[in-house]
Amino acid sequence: MKKKIVVIGSSNTDMVVKVPHIPARGETIMGTDFMTIAGGKGANQAVAATRAGADVTFIACVSDDAFGVQSVENYQNDGIDTSCIKVQPGTHSGIALINVAADGENSIAVAPGANAHLLPEDIRRFEHAFEGAQLVLAQLEIPMATVEAAAEIARSKGIPFILNPAPGAEIPNGLLEKITIITPNETEAAILTSRKKFTENEIPLMAGELYKVGIKTVMITLGSKGVYLKTEDFEGMIPGYKVQAVDTTAAGDVFNGALASALAGGMEVQKAVDFAQKAAAISVTRMGAQPSAPTINEIDTYKF
Ligand code: RIB
C-alpha cells in the first residue's frame, strides 16, 4: 500500500557538544566532542517517516545559506520530496544549540531563522501536495498560524491531522478541534490542559481532557515507560522499550515519524504505537537527530 504523508515543520542544523552534565545557569563546563548534525523537529519527523517506509513531501523553509543548501541535499538523499521547501534569503537557516550529557539527556536552544518565515500563504500555495496524502503531520517549531492553515487544509480534504505539540505551547481551540491525533509528552500535555504542576496519576486525566475537546486519539508519550493511549475503544499504557541511552535527542521525532508511516500504511493504532516506540528506542542508542532514525528493516529486526 502506498503511504503518502505530508510533513510540515522546521529544518535545523544542530550544533552539538557532548558534556559530562547539562550546565547549570551561569556555569561554564568543558565539553568533549563537537558535531554539526542535521536536525529540526519537522525534518527529523520527515526523515524518520521516510526511513520507516513512507513517501514524504516536506513543507518547510530554509535560507539560501550553506546550512539550508546542505539540509535540502540531505532530504533529497533520503528520498524526500523537497519541491515544497521555500527558500528565504536575508535570514539564517534554523539552528539548534544542543548539549548532550553522559546519560544521554539533553538541553536545546533553537534560533528559528527561516523557520519563522514559513507562513499560512505558503501552505495554501503548496496545497497540491496534500492531494492523495493519507496523513498530515506537524509540530510547533513554525508559526502557530501556519500549523492552523495546514490543519484547515487537511480537514477540508478529509485527511487525518497529527499534531506533535512540541516545543510545548498553548494551542488555540480552533486548532485543537481540527486535530485527529495528538502526541504530547507529559510536560506538553500539562501545558495543553493548563496545569503548572502534575503528578503521574494525572496522566489519564490529561488524556481525558484532550479527548473531550474532540481529539479522537490521544497519545501521551512517557519516554521509555511507554505511551498512554486513549481512543474510543482503548485506554491504557502501551509499554516502551528500555535501552542503553547514548543520546535522547529526536526520540520524540522518530516516534512521530514512524507512527505516521505505520498509520498511513493502515496499521492498527496500538500496533503502530508499538512500532513507533521501537523506532524511538533504537534512535536513543545512536548519536544525533536525523542520523539516529532507523530504517523499517532495522525496526522490524532489532533485538530488544
Ligand atoms: O527534537 C529534537 C530537535 O529539536 C533537534 O534536532 C533540534 O533541531 C530541535 O529542533
Side-chain angles (χ1 to χ4, degrees):
M1 180 175 173
K2 196 166 174 287
K3 307 193 261 184
K4 179 170 154 58
I5 297 172
V6 178
V7 179
I8 297 133
S10 57
S11 168
N12 293 338
T13 300
D14 295 348
M15 308 280 175
V16 183
V17 178
K18 279 180 108 175
V19 287
H21 62 267
I22 303 297
R25 199 183 163 100
E27 184 186 16
T28 301
I29 59 171
M30 298 305 286
T32 52
D33 311 88
F34 168 72
M35 288 149 281
T36 304
I37 303 178
K41 293 188 194 302
N44 298 342
Q45 295 185 17
V47 167
T50 305
R51 294 196 191 148
D55 276 344
V56 174
T57 300
F58 185 33
I59 303 182
C61 183
V62 297
S63 175
D64 57 357
D65 58 12
F67 292 130
V69 171
Q70 181 63 58
S71 298
V72 174
E73 207 178 297
N74 291 344
Y75 308 144
Q76 287 168 348
N77 289 340
D78 251 298
I80 293 171
D81 176 355
T82 59
S83 60
C84 299
I85 298 185
K86 172 182 171 184
V87 177
Q88 177 74 43
T91 182
H92 60 86
S93 293
I95 295 289
L97 298 182
I98 305 185
N99 288 313
V100 177
D103 63 0
E105 287 307 317
N106 62 52
S107 72
I108 305 180
V110 176
N115 294 309
H117 294 265
L118 186 64
L119 303 176
E121 52 262 41
D122 298 318
I123 307 302
R124 290 190 276 272
R125 186 158 55 92
F126 295 136
E127 189 173 333
H128 58 274
F130 290 61
E131 294 307 330
Q134 274 97 31
L135 273 175
V136 173
L137 170 63
Q139 329 69 35
L140 299 178
E141 269 184 349
I142 53 172
M144 191 67 81
T146 306
V147 178
E148 287 185 80
E152 185 68 55
I153 294 173
R155 163 146 309 187
S156 73
K157 295 184 183 300
I159 307 169
F161 181 77
I162 308 185
L163 183 70
N164 172 225
E170 286 172 16
I171 295 179
N173 280 341
L175 173 56
L176 275 177
E177 287 158 9
K178 296 187 186 76
I179 299 169
T180 321
I181 302 173
I182 196 159
T183 60
N185 63 23
E186 64 262 60
T187 313
E188 292 150 3
I191 295 171
L192 294 175
T193 57
S194 310
R195 284 174 168 79
K196 289 212 167 71
K197 286 186 194 159
F198 63 94
T199 62
E200 255 186 43
N201 297 341
E202 286 171 84
I203 289 179
L205 297 177
M206 297 197 272
E209 286 166 36
L210 291 168
Y211 185 79
K212 257 199 201 143
V213 177
I215 305 173
K216 291 278 166 259
T217 303
V218 178
M219 299 177 181
I220 302 184
T221 59
L222 304 166
S224 63
K225 284 185 210 146
V227 170
Y228 191 85
L229 172 65
K230 182 167 174 64
T231 67
E232 199 183 353
D233 318 312
F234 176 88
E235 173 153 11
M237 276 296 286
I238 314 249
Y241 294 88
K242 299 231 179 318
V243 289
Q244 186 66 46
V246 171
D247 179 8
T248 57
T249 307
D253 299 332
V254 171
F255 173 85
N256 279 278
L259 176 78
S261 175
L263 292 174
M267 199 183 281
E268 187 272 323
V269 67
Q270 290 177 50
K271 285 199 176 121
V273 169
D274 182 61
F275 174 83
Q277 291 202 93
K278 281 184 183 159
I282 296 168
S283 78
V284 165
T285 66
R286 301 171 176 173
M287 193 65 205
Q290 285 162 42
S292 73
T295 62
I296 189 162
N297 187 43
E298 288 172 318
I299 303 167
D300 285 339
T301 57
Y302 193 90
K303 300 272 173 272
F304 287 96

Short mmCIF file of all heavy atoms in Angstrom, two decimals, residues 35-72:
data_model
loop_
_atom_site.label_atom_id
_atom_site.label_comp_id
_atom_site.label_asym_id
_atom_site.label_seq_id
_atom_site.Cartn_x
_atom_site.Cartn_y
_atom_site.Cartn_z
N MET A 35 29.85 18.31 17.22
CA MET A 35 29.35 17.77 15.94
C MET A 35 28.32 18.71 15.34
O MET A 35 27.55 19.34 16.07
CB MET A 35 28.65 16.42 16.18
CG MET A 35 29.58 15.28 16.51
SD MET A 35 28.78 14.08 17.59
CE MET A 35 28.92 14.88 19.15
N THR A 36 28.30 18.80 14.02
CA THR A 36 27.24 19.51 13.30
C THR A 36 26.35 18.44 12.68
O THR A 36 26.83 17.65 11.85
CB THR A 36 27.86 20.39 12.20
OG1 THR A 36 28.81 21.25 12.82
CG2 THR A 36 26.82 21.23 11.50
N ILE A 37 25.08 18.41 13.10
CA ILE A 37 24.21 17.28 12.73
C ILE A 37 22.87 17.82 12.20
O ILE A 37 22.34 18.80 12.72
CB ILE A 37 23.95 16.38 13.96
CG1 ILE A 37 25.28 15.87 14.55
CG2 ILE A 37 23.04 15.21 13.61
CD1 ILE A 37 25.13 15.00 15.79
N ALA A 38 22.33 17.15 11.18
CA ALA A 38 21.03 17.56 10.63
C ALA A 38 19.92 17.34 11.66
O ALA A 38 19.83 16.26 12.24
CB ALA A 38 20.75 16.74 9.38
N GLY A 39 19.11 18.37 11.87
CA GLY A 39 18.04 18.28 12.87
C GLY A 39 16.83 19.12 12.52
O GLY A 39 16.60 19.46 11.36
N GLY A 40 16.09 19.51 13.55
CA GLY A 40 14.82 20.23 13.37
C GLY A 40 13.68 19.25 13.51
O GLY A 40 13.69 18.19 12.88
N LYS A 41 12.71 19.59 14.36
CA LYS A 41 11.65 18.61 14.65
C LYS A 41 10.91 18.17 13.38
O LYS A 41 10.62 16.98 13.19
CB LYS A 41 10.66 19.17 15.67
CG LYS A 41 11.30 19.37 17.03
CD LYS A 41 10.31 19.74 18.09
CE LYS A 41 11.02 20.24 19.34
NZ LYS A 41 11.96 19.27 19.93
N GLY A 42 10.61 19.13 12.51
CA GLY A 42 9.89 18.78 11.28
C GLY A 42 10.72 17.86 10.41
O GLY A 42 10.26 16.80 9.95
N ALA A 43 11.96 18.25 10.18
CA ALA A 43 12.84 17.48 9.31
C ALA A 43 13.12 16.10 9.90
O ALA A 43 13.14 15.09 9.18
CB ALA A 43 14.15 18.24 9.10
N ASN A 44 13.33 16.05 11.22
CA ASN A 44 13.59 14.74 11.85
C ASN A 44 12.40 13.80 11.63
O ASN A 44 12.57 12.61 11.37
CB ASN A 44 13.82 14.90 13.36
CG ASN A 44 15.04 15.76 13.68
OD1 ASN A 44 15.90 15.96 12.83
ND2 ASN A 44 15.11 16.26 14.91
N GLN A 45 11.20 14.36 11.73
CA GLN A 45 10.00 13.53 11.57
C GLN A 45 9.83 13.11 10.11
O GLN A 45 9.43 11.98 9.81
CB GLN A 45 8.77 14.28 12.10
CG GLN A 45 8.89 14.50 13.60
CD GLN A 45 7.68 15.14 14.29
OE1 GLN A 45 6.60 15.18 13.73
NE2 GLN A 45 7.90 15.62 15.49
N ALA A 46 10.18 14.02 9.20
CA ALA A 46 10.10 13.68 7.76
C ALA A 46 11.07 12.55 7.44
O ALA A 46 10.74 11.59 6.73
CB ALA A 46 10.40 14.92 6.93
N VAL A 47 12.28 12.65 7.96
CA VAL A 47 13.31 11.63 7.70
C VAL A 47 12.89 10.29 8.35
O VAL A 47 12.98 9.23 7.72
CB VAL A 47 14.69 12.10 8.23
CG1 VAL A 47 15.69 10.96 8.28
CG2 VAL A 47 15.21 13.23 7.36
N ALA A 48 12.41 10.37 9.60
CA ALA A 48 12.01 9.12 10.30
C ALA A 48 10.87 8.43 9.56
O ALA A 48 10.87 7.20 9.42
CB ALA A 48 11.61 9.44 11.74
N ALA A 49 9.90 9.22 9.07
CA ALA A 49 8.75 8.63 8.35
C ALA A 49 9.23 7.99 7.04
O ALA A 49 8.78 6.90 6.67
CB ALA A 49 7.71 9.70 8.07
N THR A 50 10.15 8.66 6.36
CA THR A 50 10.67 8.12 5.09
C THR A 50 11.40 6.80 5.34
O THR A 50 11.17 5.81 4.64
CB THR A 50 11.65 9.14 4.45
OG1 THR A 50 10.97 10.38 4.32
CG2 THR A 50 12.11 8.68 3.09
N ARG A 51 12.28 6.81 6.35
CA ARG A 51 13.05 5.57 6.61
C ARG A 51 12.13 4.45 7.09
O ARG A 51 12.44 3.28 6.93
CB ARG A 51 14.17 5.86 7.63
CG ARG A 51 15.19 6.79 7.03
CD ARG A 51 16.49 6.83 7.81
NE ARG A 51 17.29 7.94 7.33
CZ ARG A 51 18.13 8.65 8.06
NH1 ARG A 51 18.31 8.34 9.33
NH2 ARG A 51 18.79 9.65 7.54
N ALA A 52 10.98 4.84 7.69
CA ALA A 52 10.02 3.82 8.14
C ALA A 52 9.10 3.39 7.00
O ALA A 52 8.12 2.67 7.23
CB ALA A 52 9.22 4.34 9.33
N GLY A 53 9.37 3.88 5.80
CA GLY A 53 8.67 3.32 4.63
C GLY A 53 7.67 4.22 3.94
O GLY A 53 6.99 3.78 3.01
N ALA A 54 7.54 5.49 4.36
CA ALA A 54 6.54 6.36 3.74
C ALA A 54 7.11 7.20 2.60
O ALA A 54 8.32 7.44 2.55
CB ALA A 54 5.94 7.29 4.81
N ASP A 55 6.21 7.65 1.72
CA ASP A 55 6.55 8.65 0.70
C ASP A 55 6.26 10.00 1.31
O ASP A 55 5.10 10.31 1.59
CB ASP A 55 5.61 8.52 -0.52
CG ASP A 55 6.08 7.46 -1.46
OD1 ASP A 55 7.24 7.06 -1.36
OD2 ASP A 55 5.26 7.03 -2.29
N VAL A 56 7.28 10.81 1.53
CA VAL A 56 7.08 12.05 2.28
C VAL A 56 7.33 13.28 1.43
O VAL A 56 8.34 13.37 0.73
CB VAL A 56 8.02 12.08 3.52
CG1 VAL A 56 7.93 13.42 4.24
CG2 VAL A 56 7.68 10.95 4.48
N THR A 57 6.37 14.22 1.50
CA THR A 57 6.61 15.56 1.00
C THR A 57 6.82 16.44 2.22
O THR A 57 6.00 16.44 3.15
CB THR A 57 5.41 16.08 0.19
OG1 THR A 57 5.20 15.21 -0.91
CG2 THR A 57 5.67 17.50 -0.34
N PHE A 58 7.93 17.16 2.23
CA PHE A 58 8.26 18.01 3.39
C PHE A 58 8.03 19.47 3.01
O PHE A 58 8.64 19.98 2.07
CB PHE A 58 9.73 17.76 3.78
CG PHE A 58 10.19 18.48 5.02
CD1 PHE A 58 9.34 18.72 6.09
CD2 PHE A 58 11.51 18.91 5.12
CE1 PHE A 58 9.78 19.38 7.23
CE2 PHE A 58 11.96 19.57 6.27
CZ PHE A 58 11.09 19.80 7.32
N ILE A 59 7.14 20.14 3.74
CA ILE A 59 6.90 21.57 3.53
C ILE A 59 7.65 22.31 4.64
O ILE A 59 7.40 22.08 5.83
CB ILE A 59 5.39 21.91 3.57
CG1 ILE A 59 4.63 21.08 2.53
CG2 ILE A 59 5.17 23.40 3.36
CD1 ILE A 59 3.13 21.37 2.44
N ALA A 60 8.60 23.16 4.25
CA ALA A 60 9.47 23.80 5.22
C ALA A 60 10.03 25.08 4.63
O ALA A 60 9.70 25.45 3.49
CB ALA A 60 10.62 22.85 5.58
N CYS A 61 10.86 25.77 5.39
CA CYS A 61 11.52 26.98 4.89
C CYS A 61 12.97 27.01 5.39
O CYS A 61 13.20 26.87 6.60
CB CYS A 61 10.77 28.22 5.36
SG CYS A 61 11.48 29.76 4.71
N VAL A 62 13.89 27.17 4.46
CA VAL A 62 15.31 27.32 4.81
C VAL A 62 15.82 28.62 4.19
O VAL A 62 15.16 29.19 3.32
CB VAL A 62 16.17 26.14 4.28
CG1 VAL A 62 15.77 24.82 4.91
CG2 VAL A 62 16.09 26.04 2.75
N SER A 63 16.99 29.04 4.61
CA SER A 63 17.61 30.20 3.98
C SER A 63 18.46 29.72 2.79
O SER A 63 18.59 28.52 2.56
CB SER A 63 18.47 30.94 5.00
OG SER A 63 19.15 31.99 4.36
N ASP A 64 19.04 30.69 2.08
CA ASP A 64 19.93 30.31 0.96
C ASP A 64 21.38 30.16 1.44
O ASP A 64 22.31 30.17 0.65
CB ASP A 64 19.83 31.34 -0.19
CG ASP A 64 20.15 32.75 0.27
OD1 ASP A 64 20.39 32.96 1.48
OD2 ASP A 64 20.14 33.66 -0.58
N ASP A 65 21.57 30.03 2.77
CA ASP A 65 22.94 29.85 3.29
C ASP A 65 23.38 28.39 3.17
O ASP A 65 22.61 27.52 2.75
CB ASP A 65 23.03 30.35 4.76
CG ASP A 65 22.06 29.63 5.70
OD1 ASP A 65 21.47 28.61 5.29
OD2 ASP A 65 21.87 30.11 6.84
N ALA A 66 24.64 28.13 3.56
CA ALA A 66 25.21 26.79 3.37
C ALA A 66 24.43 25.73 4.16
O ALA A 66 24.25 24.60 3.68
CB ALA A 66 26.67 26.80 3.83
N PHE A 67 23.91 26.09 5.34
CA PHE A 67 23.15 25.12 6.14
C PHE A 67 21.88 24.71 5.41
O PHE A 67 21.49 23.54 5.40
CB PHE A 67 22.80 25.70 7.51
CG PHE A 67 23.98 25.91 8.41
CD1 PHE A 67 24.18 27.12 9.06
CD2 PHE A 67 24.90 24.89 8.63
CE1 PHE A 67 25.26 27.31 9.89
CE2 PHE A 67 26.00 25.08 9.46
CZ PHE A 67 26.18 26.30 10.10
N GLY A 68 21.21 25.71 4.82
CA GLY A 68 19.95 25.42 4.12
C GLY A 68 20.19 24.54 2.90
O GLY A 68 19.48 23.56 2.67
N VAL A 69 21.23 24.87 2.14
CA VAL A 69 21.56 24.10 0.92
C VAL A 69 21.88 22.65 1.31
O VAL A 69 21.38 21.69 0.71
CB VAL A 69 22.75 24.76 0.18
CG1 VAL A 69 23.26 23.88 -0.95
CG2 VAL A 69 22.34 26.14 -0.35
N GLN A 70 22.70 22.49 2.35
CA GLN A 70 23.10 21.15 2.80
C GLN A 70 21.88 20.36 3.30
O GLN A 70 21.73 19.16 3.01
CB GLN A 70 24.14 21.27 3.93
CG GLN A 70 24.66 19.94 4.46
CD GLN A 70 25.39 19.14 3.40
OE1 GLN A 70 26.36 19.61 2.82
NE2 GLN A 70 24.92 17.94 3.11
N SER A 71 20.98 21.04 4.03
CA SER A 71 19.79 20.34 4.57
C SER A 71 18.95 19.78 3.44
O SER A 71 18.55 18.61 3.46
CB SER A 71 18.93 21.31 5.40
OG SER A 71 19.66 21.79 6.49
N VAL A 72 18.66 20.62 2.42
CA VAL A 72 17.81 20.17 1.31
C VAL A 72 18.47 18.99 0.60
O VAL A 72 17.81 18.00 0.25
CB VAL A 72 17.49 21.33 0.36
CG1 VAL A 72 16.71 20.84 -0.87
CG2 VAL A 72 16.69 22.42 1.08
#
